[in-house]
Amino acid sequence: ALPSCRRYVAGGRCKSTAKLEGKVVIITGANTGIGKETARDLARRGKVIIACRNLAKAEAAASEIRAETGNQQVIVKKLDLADTKSIREFAEKFLGEEKELHILINNAGVMLCPYSKTADGFEMHLGVNHLGHFLLTFLLLERLKQSAPARIVNVSSLAHHGGRIRFHDLHGKKSYNCGLAYCHSKLANVLFTRELARRLQGKCQRQAGVTANALHPGSVHSELVRHSFVMTWLWKIFSFFLKTPWEGAQTSIYCAVAEELDSVTGQYFSDCQPAYVSPRGRDDETARKLWSVSCELLGIQWD
């Protein structure tokens, strides 16, 4: 029974052998966990830019991937999603150096942090998991459009089912629970994907444009739970029932390269197939409101 249980836990696999020759991929937070496994796979197909806060860790991951894949086009760039200045610097450098961008994987995330704020005063989960990626996508969108067909892949979570967008207390000043804050930020990822896809579709329905999809990687044995002693302990005990980072990366890879998703947009995937989205994750009014509030907080105009 154990091997079949393990197979069930492992979930779906990306079977696509699509090559990304001459294509450019950015993956945020790709120095560890599923981000690193996603980078490892995509480095066998094309050029990968690993965008991370911790450069030493990122460099170590990149050199390991270069050695393993033989691809020297695995490049490390500094990006701290908890600081809009760093996000803008990253985007400016990237746009100065690269003429094209075909796949943006918004993978980085924080989970179960004690209450803390980003450099700009945003609650950490919302700031990194949602607002940081929202700004990054905004800054890189023109380049994605110029390189179309292009894809935006947002790593969300099943945890979005437990989330709600608390407009009256977005930054958790009135009440804060680290588990719920994570759920709220993952719901924000789903709503952002939905509204982004809607806006992109209207503009370029006829030609192959830019698609945006979200996904749940599965419960993965990774460093995400490092802020919680109890979760780290539970993760160790139940590791048999958790996906390995390689298994957890499959749906990200699938959303990035699978040929059958060429014109699929605004969807949510798990185990390399469409998955159920919570009613809150399908609320267009909340999605629109979150969009305009996010623009306000970041001081940008994104029409």
Side-chain angles (χ1 to χ4, degrees):
L2 283 180
S4 63
C5 162
R6 191 68 205 99
R7 259 201 309 282
Y8 174 75
V9 169
R13 286 217 174 145
C14 176
K15 297 187 177 72
S16 167
T17 54
K19 285 274 170 258
L20 301 173
E21 275 146 30
K23 298 205 166 170
V24 181
V25 182
I26 291 176
I27 308 174
T28 67
N31 56 2
T32 174
I34 61 173
K36 183 176 170 186
E37 293 305 321
T38 305
R40 195 193 305 273
D41 180 286
L42 298 184
R44 295 198 173 93
R45 307 171 192 250
K47 178 172 183 171
V48 175
I49 291 167
I50 291 179
C52 292
R53 185 187 53 190
N54 185 329
L55 287 183
K57 248 183 162 176
E59 221 18 277
S63 60
E64 182 190 312
I65 292 169
R66 282 184 216 118
E68 199 180 300
T69 60
N71 179 3
Q72 293 312 301
Q73 298 264 282
V74 179
I75 295 159
V76 171
K77 296 277 177 219
K78 173 130 176 103
L79 170 68
D80 182 355
L81 287 157
D83 184 353
T84 56
K85 193 164 155 281
S86 168
I87 299 168
R88 288 179 180 280
E89 278 167 11
F90 168 85
E92 201 178 318
K93 277 207 183 92
F94 173 83
L95 295 171
E97 289 164 12
E98 298 288 343
K99 292 293 150 258
E100 294 191 298
L101 174 59
H102 303 89
I103 300 168
L104 169 62
I105 303 181
N106 289 320
N107 162 83
V110 294
M111 181 178 179
L112 304 176
C113 312
Y115 188 77
S116 54
K117 288 180 172 176
T118 68
D120 302 86
F122 309 139
E123 185 276 315
M124 193 59 76
H125 292 91
L126 186 81
V128 171
N129 298 355
H130 168 60
L131 292 168
H133 282 128
F134 186 94
L135 178 61
L136 181 67
T137 306
F138 166 75
L139 295 169
L140 298 176
L141 190 61
E142 276 315 304
R143 189 64 96 241
L144 283 157
K145 284 180 181 167
Q146 290 158 10
S147 316
R151 300 185 186 191
I152 297 163
V153 178
N154 294 326
V155 179
S156 177
S157 167
L158 185 68
H160 84 270
H161 286 274
R164 47 176 52 194
I165 306 300
R166 301 165 65 245
F167 289 110
H168 65 285
D169 189 23
L170 268 184
H171 303 293
K173 288 186 183 120
K174 298 192 182 96
S175 71
Y176 180 76
N177 171 300
C178 63
L180 287 176
Y182 177 72
C183 295
H184 302 332
S185 71
K186 294 288 113 180
L187 174 60
N189 293 154
V190 171
L191 290 167
F192 167 47
T193 305
R194 189 176 179 89
E195 181 63 10
L196 178 60
R198 189 186 71 78
R199 286 162 177 258
L200 289 171
Q201 253 183 322
K203 295 211 171 67
C204 44
Q205 226 145 10
R206 285 184 184 69
Q207 73 256 47
V210 182
T211 61
N213 291 299
L215 67 104
H216 166 55
S219 299
V220 179
H221 203 263
S222 76
E223 288 182 20
L224 251 190
V225 294
R226 63 182 173 269
H227 292 292
S228 164
F229 171 75
V230 176
M231 285 293 279
T232 305
W233 183 71
L234 285 171
W235 243 226
K236 278 203 174 70
I237 295 173
F238 293 109
S239 64
F240 183 80
F241 299 102
L242 297 171
K243 290 186 179 189
T244 63
W246 182 83
E247 290 161 352
Q250 294 304 304
T251 307
S252 295
I253 297 162
Y254 174 76
C255 289
V257 302
E259 297 87 345
E260 64 266 32
L261 298 188
D262 275 344
S263 54
V264 173
T265 190
Q267 300 299 307
Y268 171 75
F269 294 87
S270 176
D271 281 329
C272 302
Q273 53 192 10
Y276 179 74
V277 177
S278 78
R280 287 199 187 106
R282 285 173 282 155
D283 185 332
D284 290 328
E285 200 180 321
T286 306
R288 276 196 286 274
K289 187 171 175 189
L290 178 64
W291 185 283
S292 66
V293 169
S294 301
C295 286
E296 247 165 76
L297 287 169
L298 292 163
I300 59 175
Q301 277 191 307
W302 188 355
D303 305 322

